[in-house]
Amino acid sequence: MSEAQPNRKVGGHAYGRRTQQLSNTAEEGELCIYTGHSIGRFSGHSMRFDSHQACVRCVAAAREGRMSFDIDRLLKRERRRALKFWSQVDIGAPDECWRWNGCINKRTKQPQFAWRRHGISTSTQHHPQRVAMWFTWGDLGYTGVKTTCGDKYCCNPFHLIPQNVGVFVDSDSYMESFELACQLHTLKQQVAEFMIEEALKQELVDQSDEIDGRADLTLDPNTEFGERFEAVMSDLLKGNHVTQTEPDQPGLYRKPTDNTEESEEF
């Protein structure tokens, strides 16, 4: 029997070869997004099939039907990207379609997720179904993926089947798997925490005018008692009163200014 020869890639877009059968030869390629899949302990590369740039270890796991929602199995640098992706997916029950709520190309009406994968593809936009496959079935390169529901906006990994890999799919065992159910529940919690964290990172609005207005209203001796009482009660109801502030949540926000002018006293 003759020795297997590397696949000869001749022109064309990388995704144009996604319908071809997976080759039987591998080469050193881009580091897999999953931990422990590098060639060596300190290596920055993984072995990938030269026809589809699929990680050989991820292909082996997919052929055994191993699917996971565990974010911690990913490299640390990819975990935040995974949370960002899943935050744009309407994660529901395992037997439901998970609708993509992210970017939709205005011209082609196709869903897309921005991710530059060096060594895998020259494209910066990927179909969410392929990204969902990468984060669950494994880093299978630009292997084709099809859905059992036929919805191009569905990102439910239970509805996704990688093509030309020989992946083993047992839908009934996936639905009844306690481990996958726990992982899915944990993923939903992590996504919720990520969305809260991102919301808190939004730039605070400068409320200097409101702060100065409240100070003038309460400190002015000519202000009527009724107006002061109304201002204090409204601040209490909003949680902005000085008695309700905490070091971590100081209430109204005043944008700090850099005082570069020298004092006349010195």
Side-chain angles (χ1 to χ4, degrees), residues 15 18 67 85-86 89 97-100 103 110-113 115 125-138 140-163:
Y15 287 166
R18 65 183 183 270
M67 182 176 61
F85 170 77
W86 289 119
V89 177
C97 286
W98 298 359
R99 191 75 176 177
W100 171 251
C103 179
Q110 292 291 330
Q112 58 188 27
F113 180 76
W115 188 358
Q125 303 292 333
H126 303 279
H127 199 289
Q129 292 177 348
R130 177 168 284 104
V131 180
M133 175 187 69
W134 288 339
F135 285 141
T136 53
W137 284 104
L140 303 181
Y142 44 85
T143 299
V145 57
K146 290 185 178 180
T147 61
T148 57
C149 59
D151 186 354
K152 67 178 181 180
Y153 297 106
C154 175
C155 298
N156 185 350
F158 295 109
H159 292 180
L160 303 179
I161 301 179
Q163 301 296 296

Side-chain angles (χ1 to χ4, degrees), residues 52-266:
H52 292 70
Q53 289 301 309
C55 173
V56 295
R57 298 192 181 185
C58 289
V59 170
R63 285 173 172 171
E64 294 179 0
R66 284 183 281 169
M67 182 176 61
S68 174
F69 293 95
D70 189 2
I71 296 292
D72 295 331
R73 294 179 62 244
L74 300 171
L75 299 176
K76 287 185 177 180
R77 68 186 185 189
E78 302 295 348
R79 293 174 188 174
R80 192 165 191 83
R81 191 192 310 274
L83 291 174
K84 179 181 179 181
F85 170 77
W86 289 119
S87 67
Q88 301 177 55
V89 177
D90 185 13
I91 302 177
D95 58 343
E96 296 177 345
C97 286
W98 298 359
R99 191 75 176 177
W100 171 251
N101 297 324
C103 179
I104 304 292
N105 189 293
K106 295 181 180 179
R107 181 177 60 85
T108 63
K109 305 301 181 182
Q110 292 291 330
Q112 58 188 27
F113 180 76
W115 188 358
R116 182 180 293 276
R117 300 214 59 190
H118 298 285
I120 303 297
S121 172
T122 57
S123 176
T124 59
Q125 303 292 333
H126 303 279
H127 199 289
Q129 292 177 348
R130 177 168 284 104
V131 180
M133 175 187 69
W134 288 339
F135 285 141
T136 53
W137 284 104
D139 191 356
L140 303 181
Y142 44 85
T143 299
V145 57
K146 290 185 178 180
T147 61
T148 57
C149 59
D151 186 354
K152 67 178 181 180
Y153 297 106
C154 175
C155 298
N156 185 350
F158 295 109
H159 292 180
L160 303 179
I161 301 179
Q163 301 296 296
N164 303 314
V165 175
V167 58
F168 174 78
V169 179
D170 188 358
S171 301
D172 293 336
S173 63
Y174 295 150
M175 297 295 179
E176 299 174 358
S177 173
F178 178 75
E179 181 180 3
L180 286 178
C182 292
Q183 292 178 0
L184 185 56
H185 179 72
T186 303
L187 176 62
K188 291 180 180 179
Q189 289 182 325
Q190 292 173 324
V191 170
E193 294 173 358
F194 171 79
M195 296 178 68
I196 294 175
E197 182 181 347
E198 290 297 307
L200 294 176
K201 285 184 178 180
Q202 298 296 327
E203 184 177 358
L204 296 175
V205 179
D206 188 8
Q207 298 171 299
S208 299
D209 294 339
E210 187 175 352
I211 295 174
D212 295 337
R214 279 286 184 268
D216 294 339
L217 180 64
T218 55
L219 299 179
D220 188 357
N222 297 323
T223 305
E224 297 291 337
F225 174 79
E227 295 180 359
R228 291 185 183 180
F229 180 78
E230 182 181 356
V232 171
M233 291 303 298
S234 62
D235 287 343
L236 285 171
L237 293 174
K238 293 180 180 179
N240 294 332
H241 194 264
V242 65
T243 60
Q244 299 172 305
T245 58
E246 298 290 342
D248 297 335
Q249 298 178 347
L252 295 178
Y253 172 74
R254 184 193 295 274
K255 186 176 182 180
T257 58
D258 295 330
N259 187 8
T260 57
E261 299 180 359
E262 296 183 358
S263 174
E264 297 178 355
E265 299 179 0
F266 299 98

